[in-house]
């Protein structure tokens, strides 16, 4: 999940240097709204991912206490802590995917190479986003998502409906240690901050705010 967010941020950042090629003031305002909305959706997704990592880190601490003292069974129900956050992240990713899909033509015109990098991620049935959402809608947490043969995707997932005992603990510790999601999120946060600064250099916030209400993503715009 975090890998996907990172790739989306990095790919969309490629588009920013091409903004200067848009000459029409009207087109620039429309583009500004699109890019700011993408920034907002990406930021929401990043914050929820960070909250999930917080919960995973808390789980490892409480599980250690339970293993040592045997008096902290609350740790075994950690999946339930995270289930609601997964539900929230599904909504975030649906909104982000819907916005990207609705603005595909604009993104392709501005930077075809950047857009082409997004295509395998956003394909409706077999893209990375579709696979992530399929896993998360079942109440599971995907720790990673890697390309497999023939357009398939491989993922290590944690079911939130079961007891999180020693086996889950080992998987979470391995994930936090080897994949370093906290560091990945720090990189995403820095990239989003740079994206925000670039947007503010190219667009007037007041102009964007005048139009952003009409461009808000509704439930009908969600990625399915």
């Amino acid at each position: 999940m975090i890998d996907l967010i990172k790739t989306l941020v990095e790919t969309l950042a490629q588009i920013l240097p091409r903004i200067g090629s848009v000459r029409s003031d009207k087109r620039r305002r429309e583009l500004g709204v699109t890019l700011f909305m993408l920034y907002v959706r990406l930021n929401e997704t990043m914050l929820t991912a960070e909250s999930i990592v917080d919960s995973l880190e808390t789980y490892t601490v409480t599980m250690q206490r339970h293993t040592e003292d045997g008096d902290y069974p609350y740790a075994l129900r950690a999946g339930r802590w995270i289930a609601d956050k997964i539900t929230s992240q599904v909504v975030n990713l649906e909104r982000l995917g819907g916005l990207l899909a609705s603005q595909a033509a604009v993104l392709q015109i501005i930077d075809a190479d950047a857009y082409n990098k997004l295509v395998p991620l956003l394909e409706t049935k077999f893209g990375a986003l579709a696979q992530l959402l399929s896993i998360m809608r079942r109440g599971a947490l995907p720790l990673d998502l890697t390309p497999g043969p023939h357009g398939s995707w491989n993922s290590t997932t944690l079911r939130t409906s079961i007891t999180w005992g020693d086996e889950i603990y080992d998987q979470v510790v391995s994930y936090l240690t080897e994949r370093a999601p906290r560091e990945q999120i720090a990189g995403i946060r820095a990239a989003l901050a740079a994206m925000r600064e670039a947007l503010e250099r190219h667009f007037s916030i007041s102009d964007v705010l005048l139009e952003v209400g009409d461009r808000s993503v509704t439930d009908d715009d969600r990625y399915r």
Side-chain angles (χ1 to χ4, degrees), residues 15-158:
I15 294 173
L16 298 180
R18 304 294 298 274
I19 293 173
S21 63
V22 181
R23 301 301 180 186
S24 166
D25 288 342
K26 182 177 184 297
R27 293 295 185 190
R28 281 178 62 84
R29 285 196 303 273
E30 292 174 349
L31 178 59
V33 172
T34 295
L35 293 176
F36 266 103
M37 290 293 289
L38 284 170
Y39 163 80
V40 168
R41 297 307 181 199
L42 284 166
N43 194 59
E44 291 171 342
T45 305
M46 183 271 295
L47 290 173
T48 303
E50 184 174 41
S51 181
I52 290 172
V53 172
D54 289 343
S55 291
L56 292 175
E57 291 174 340
T58 299
Y59 162 68
T60 62
V61 173
T62 55
M63 189 61 183
Q64 286 173 351
R65 288 176 55 185
H66 179 64
T67 301
E68 294 168 1
D69 304 332
D71 63 350
Y72 210 76
Y74 180 62
L76 302 175
R77 299 194 295 272
R80 300 177 191 177
W81 313 344
I82 297 174
D84 287 344
K85 296 181 181 183
I86 292 174
T87 300
S88 296
Q89 192 69 312
V90 167
V91 173
N92 291 335
L93 289 170
E94 286 175 344
R95 288 173 172 168
L96 175 59
L99 182 57
L100 285 166
S102 69
Q103 300 301 316
V106 175
L107 298 176
Q108 190 169 4
I109 290 169
I110 297 171
D111 192 323
D113 289 339
Y115 173 78
N116 290 341
K117 292 179 181 179
L118 295 176
V119 170
L121 303 179
L122 301 176
E123 286 181 295
T124 305
K125 291 185 179 180
F126 303 109
L129 179 56
Q131 297 304 307
L132 274 180
L133 286 170
S134 176
I135 292 167
M136 296 171 75
R137 284 168 181 153
R138 297 195 297 268
L141 176 65
L143 295 182
D144 56 25
L145 191 70
T146 56
H150 311 297
S152 65
W153 295 87
N154 301 316
S155 178
T156 301
T157 63
L158 302 180

